[in-house]
Amino acid sequence: MTTATRDMINSITEDIRQVLGIQGPIQNMDDVVYKLGGTIQDDFLCSDGTVSKEGRTFKIQVSPFQSQKRRRFTIAHELGHLFLHMGYLIDEELWDEQEDNIYHRSGSSEQEYQANEFAAAFLMPRNEYKKVMDEHTDGSLVNTAEIARHFHVSVSAAANRGKWLGYLKW
Protein backbone atom coordinates (compact mmCIF):
# COMPACT_ATOMS: atom_id res chain seq x y z
CA MET A 1 0.00 0.00 0.00
CA THR A 2 1.35 3.41 -0.90
CA THR A 3 1.86 6.21 1.59
CA ALA A 4 -0.73 8.26 -0.30
CA THR A 5 -3.32 5.49 0.09
CA ARG A 6 -2.51 5.13 3.78
CA ASP A 7 -2.86 8.90 4.28
CA MET A 8 -6.18 8.93 2.40
CA ILE A 9 -7.54 6.09 4.56
CA ASN A 10 -6.45 7.87 7.76
CA SER A 11 -8.11 11.05 6.54
CA ILE A 12 -11.37 9.20 5.79
CA THR A 13 -11.43 7.64 9.26
CA GLU A 14 -10.86 11.04 10.86
CA ASP A 15 -13.74 12.50 8.83
CA ILE A 16 -16.08 9.64 9.76
CA ARG A 17 -15.21 9.92 13.45
CA GLN A 18 -15.83 13.68 13.28
CA VAL A 19 -19.20 13.30 11.53
CA LEU A 20 -20.27 10.69 14.12
CA GLY A 21 -18.99 12.85 16.97
CA ILE A 22 -16.54 10.20 18.19
CA GLN A 23 -13.84 11.55 20.47
CA GLY A 24 -11.35 9.42 22.32
CA PRO A 25 -11.38 5.63 22.30
CA ILE A 26 -14.48 3.96 20.90
CA GLN A 27 -16.32 2.29 23.75
CA ASN A 28 -18.84 0.24 21.76
CA MET A 29 -18.40 -0.70 18.10
CA ASP A 30 -21.97 -1.99 17.87
CA ASP A 31 -23.21 1.52 18.65
CA VAL A 32 -21.08 2.89 15.80
CA VAL A 33 -22.62 0.40 13.37
CA TYR A 34 -26.15 1.24 14.52
CA LYS A 35 -25.41 4.97 14.25
CA LEU A 36 -24.34 4.38 10.65
CA GLY A 37 -27.64 2.61 9.95
CA GLY A 38 -26.33 -0.95 9.89
CA THR A 39 -26.93 -4.11 11.87
CA ILE A 40 -24.65 -6.67 13.48
CA GLN A 41 -25.35 -10.32 13.99
CA ASP A 42 -23.42 -13.29 15.27
CA ASP A 43 -22.81 -15.92 12.64
CA PHE A 44 -21.62 -19.28 13.91
CA LEU A 45 -20.51 -20.27 10.39
CA CYS A 46 -18.44 -17.12 9.84
CA SER A 47 -14.70 -17.55 10.36
CA ASP A 48 -14.16 -13.90 11.31
CA GLY A 49 -16.40 -11.25 9.78
CA THR A 50 -18.34 -10.22 6.67
CA VAL A 51 -20.14 -7.13 5.46
CA SER A 52 -22.90 -7.02 2.87
CA LYS A 53 -25.46 -4.59 1.52
CA GLU A 54 -29.02 -4.92 2.79
CA GLY A 55 -31.30 -2.62 0.83
CA ARG A 56 -30.05 0.91 1.43
CA THR A 57 -28.06 -0.10 4.51
CA PHE A 58 -25.68 -2.89 5.51
CA LYS A 59 -25.18 -5.91 7.74
CA ILE A 60 -22.01 -7.03 9.48
CA GLN A 61 -21.78 -10.63 10.59
CA VAL A 62 -19.13 -11.68 13.07
CA SER A 63 -18.02 -14.94 14.56
CA PRO A 64 -19.06 -15.24 18.21
CA PHE A 65 -15.85 -17.20 18.86
CA GLN A 66 -13.59 -14.11 18.92
CA SER A 67 -12.26 -12.20 21.87
CA GLN A 68 -13.87 -8.80 22.45
CA LYS A 69 -10.73 -7.04 21.22
CA ARG A 70 -10.63 -9.14 18.05
CA ARG A 71 -14.38 -8.57 17.52
CA ARG A 72 -13.87 -4.79 17.76
CA PHE A 73 -11.09 -4.90 15.18
CA THR A 74 -13.13 -7.21 12.93
CA ILE A 75 -16.10 -4.82 12.97
CA ALA A 76 -13.81 -1.86 12.24
CA HIS A 77 -12.20 -3.89 9.43
CA GLU A 78 -15.61 -4.58 7.90
CA LEU A 79 -16.42 -0.87 8.12
CA GLY A 80 -13.24 -0.38 6.09
CA HIS A 81 -14.65 -2.56 3.31
CA LEU A 82 -17.99 -0.79 3.64
CA PHE A 83 -16.56 2.68 3.06
CA LEU A 84 -13.47 2.01 0.95
CA HIS A 85 -14.63 -0.79 -1.34
CA MET A 86 -18.42 -0.60 -1.27
CA GLY A 87 -18.74 3.20 -1.31
CA TYR A 88 -21.25 3.45 1.54
CA LEU A 89 -22.13 7.15 2.10
CA ILE A 90 -19.14 8.11 -0.06
CA ASP A 91 -19.76 6.90 -3.64
CA GLU A 92 -23.43 6.36 -4.50
CA GLU A 93 -22.67 4.75 -7.88
CA LEU A 94 -20.30 2.21 -6.33
CA TRP A 95 -22.78 1.56 -3.50
CA ASP A 96 -25.56 0.86 -6.03
CA GLU A 97 -23.35 -1.82 -7.65
CA GLN A 98 -23.02 -3.79 -4.40
CA GLU A 99 -26.19 -5.91 -4.63
CA ASP A 100 -24.60 -9.38 -4.30
CA ASN A 101 -21.13 -8.52 -2.99
CA ILE A 102 -20.07 -9.88 0.36
CA TYR A 103 -16.70 -8.86 1.76
CA HIS A 104 -14.95 -11.35 4.04
CA ARG A 105 -12.09 -10.71 6.41
CA SER A 106 -9.55 -13.13 5.00
CA GLY A 107 -6.51 -13.33 2.80
CA SER A 108 -3.77 -10.86 2.03
CA SER A 109 -5.04 -8.82 -0.91
CA GLU A 110 -4.58 -5.07 -1.24
CA GLN A 111 -8.20 -4.62 -0.17
CA GLU A 112 -7.52 -6.57 3.02
CA TYR A 113 -4.49 -4.40 3.82
CA GLN A 114 -6.60 -1.30 3.21
CA ALA A 115 -9.41 -2.57 5.45
CA ASN A 116 -6.85 -3.35 8.18
CA GLU A 117 -5.41 0.16 7.86
CA PHE A 118 -8.93 1.57 8.13
CA ALA A 119 -9.63 -0.50 11.26
CA ALA A 120 -6.39 0.55 12.95
CA ALA A 121 -6.88 4.22 12.04
CA PHE A 122 -10.53 4.19 13.08
CA LEU A 123 -9.81 2.61 16.47
CA MET A 124 -6.47 4.40 17.07
CA PRO A 125 -6.40 7.82 15.33
CA ARG A 126 -2.83 8.90 14.62
CA ASN A 127 -2.86 12.11 16.68
CA GLU A 128 -4.42 10.44 19.71
CA TYR A 129 -2.10 7.46 19.30
CA LYS A 130 0.94 9.74 19.43
CA LYS A 131 -0.39 11.52 22.53
CA VAL A 132 -1.09 8.25 24.36
CA MET A 133 2.24 6.79 23.27
CA ASP A 134 4.10 9.83 24.59
CA GLU A 135 2.29 9.43 27.94
CA HIS A 136 3.46 5.81 28.16
CA THR A 137 7.07 6.19 27.10
CA ASP A 138 9.85 5.92 29.62
CA GLY A 139 13.03 7.08 27.96
CA SER A 140 13.39 4.76 24.97
CA LEU A 141 10.80 2.15 26.00
CA VAL A 142 7.17 2.39 24.90
CA ASN A 143 4.55 0.54 26.92
CA THR A 144 2.37 -0.82 24.11
CA ALA A 145 0.23 -2.72 26.64
CA GLU A 146 -0.95 0.63 28.05
CA ILE A 147 -1.61 1.97 24.55
CA ALA A 148 -3.62 -1.17 23.80
CA ARG A 149 -5.55 -0.80 27.03
CA HIS A 150 -6.38 2.82 26.24
CA PHE A 151 -7.80 1.96 22.80
CA HIS A 152 -9.37 -1.39 23.80
CA VAL A 153 -7.32 -3.33 21.24
CA SER A 154 -4.77 -6.12 21.41
CA VAL A 155 -1.13 -5.37 22.15
CA SER A 156 -0.18 -6.59 18.67
CA ALA A 157 -2.71 -4.20 17.07
CA ALA A 158 -1.34 -1.29 19.12
CA ALA A 159 2.27 -2.21 18.29
CA ASN A 160 1.55 -2.62 14.58
CA ARG A 161 -0.23 0.73 14.47
CA GLY A 162 2.81 2.39 16.02
CA LYS A 163 5.11 0.72 13.50
CA TRP A 164 3.00 1.73 10.49
CA LEU A 165 2.85 5.29 11.79
CA GLY A 166 6.65 5.29 12.04
CA TYR A 167 6.66 5.77 15.82
CA LEU A 168 7.93 2.28 16.69
CA LYS A 169 10.64 0.15 15.14
CA TRP A 170 9.93 -2.98 13.14
Side-chain angles (χ1 to χ4, degrees), residues 141-159:
L141 297 176
V142 176
N143 188 336
T144 52
E146 286 301 321
I147 297 170
R149 186 171 298 119
H150 176 84
F151 290 108
H152 313 293
V153 298
S154 69
V155 173
S156 63

Side-chain angles (χ1 to χ4, degrees), residues 11-81:
S11 179
I12 288 171
T13 62
E14 290 168 8
D15 290 345
I16 293 168
R17 287 176 62 100
Q18 183 177 3
V19 166
L20 294 175
I22 299 171
Q23 296 183 358
I26 297 172
Q27 301 301 318
N28 187 326
M29 283 302 295
D30 292 29
D31 288 346
V32 172
V33 171
Y34 302 144
K35 201 176 220 183
L36 288 167
T39 60
I40 296 179
Q41 75 181 117
D42 286 340
D43 182 348
F44 290 89
L45 301 177
C46 183
S47 64
D48 214 359
T50 66
V51 62
S52 58
K53 182 176 179 179
E54 286 220 326
R56 295 304 306 159
T57 188
F58 64 96
K59 172 178 65 178
I60 293 178
Q61 294 177 282
V62 293
S63 169
F65 305 113
Q66 303 177 73
S67 71
Q68 277 302 104
K69 290 176 183 176
R70 176 69 175 189
R71 183 180 186 279
R72 290 168 53 76
F73 199 91
T74 296
I75 293 169
H77 174 99
E78 297 309 328
L79 290 177
H81 285 305

